[in-house]
Amino acid sequence: LRRSPLPDMHMMVARPEQWVKPMAVAGANQYTFHLEATDNPGALIKDIRENGMKVGLAIKPGTTVEHLAPWANQIDMALVMTVEPGFGGQKFMEDMMPKVQWLRTQFPSLDIEVDGGVGPDTIHKCAEAGANMIVSGSAIMKSADPRSVINLLRNVCSEAAQKRCLDR
């Protein structure tokens, strides 16, 4: 069975406000913007919702998770960057995992995504910290067997989520 695509636009851009309507018209289901890229996250969140999309809010490694917290109840997904945004193949920053843990503890039903350096060697750290969504580029694309890498990543996240439910 093929899953229908649910495009999430991860907008690593200045002035993300200008792209909300074009992305909605293009068929995006979710619009993820960087907290650091806007002066008015509340207005942007409202605009995204009014354009029929879910809201994702990303933070770069240098931004504390407490800056995201005031918006957590208004968003659908928090994205913790585990590399500096900009290019693929960077080394996973394990010291970002306390941000994921804190978000999972404070907002247990929030989707939490990790992006940057995620692959077979780092997925367990992400899943155990509380991430239930991941972005993996280089680890999949450079693999001789992308399907097995995707399955491993998916299974590790699913197993960690099930364990968290049982531990509650």
Side-chain angles (χ1 to χ4, degrees):
L1 284 173
R2 289 246 180 242
R3 295 180 183 185
S4 63
L6 300 173
D8 171 22
M9 300 294 112
H10 179 179
M11 304 301 290
M12 292 189 278
V13 297
R15 298 186 329 272
E17 298 83 359
Q18 70 181 342
W19 297 104
V20 173
K21 194 167 293 304
M23 292 301 110
V25 170
N29 291 25
Q30 181 167 295
Y31 189 98
T32 300
F33 67 95
H34 282 256
L35 183 59
E36 304 86 357
T38 184
D39 292 329
N40 195 341
L44 184 49
I45 290 168
K46 183 175 186 270
D47 190 27
I48 294 166
R49 291 242 184 263
E50 287 174 353
N51 277 276
M53 294 178 287
K54 290 183 176 184
V55 179
L57 183 55
I59 55 171
K60 297 193 304 185
T63 302
T64 65
V65 72
E66 289 81 9
H67 282 90
L68 184 147
W71 309 106
N73 289 319
Q74 298 176 45
I75 62 175
D76 300 290
M77 187 264 297
L79 169 53
V80 176
M81 294 295 298
T82 50
V83 297
E84 286 297 332
F87 60 94
Q90 296 181 63
K91 187 177 181 326
F92 177 76
M93 298 169 79
E94 187 173 347
D95 58 337
M96 295 299 110
M97 292 303 94
K99 293 180 183 184
V100 176
Q101 291 170 326
W102 188 86
L103 285 167
R104 179 57 62 216
T105 301
Q106 299 299 311
F107 307 99
S109 61
L110 183 64
D111 279 333
I112 302 170
E113 183 173 70
V114 172
D115 182 355
V118 180
D121 297 336
T122 57
I123 186 61
H124 289 83
K125 292 175 178 108
C126 300
E128 289 166 9
N132 65 312
M133 299 173 70
I134 56 109
V135 174
S136 183
S138 297
I140 294 168
M141 299 311 292
K142 293 181 178 179
S143 168
D145 187 1
R147 184 182 305 258
S148 68
V149 174
I150 291 169
N151 286 334
L152 170 70
L153 300 175
R154 180 181 289 132
N155 291 338
V156 169
C157 286
S158 294
E159 288 169 13
Q162 289 173 358
K163 184 181 182 314
R164 274 193 301 279
C165 288
L166 293 174
D167 288 346
R168 280 192 199 149

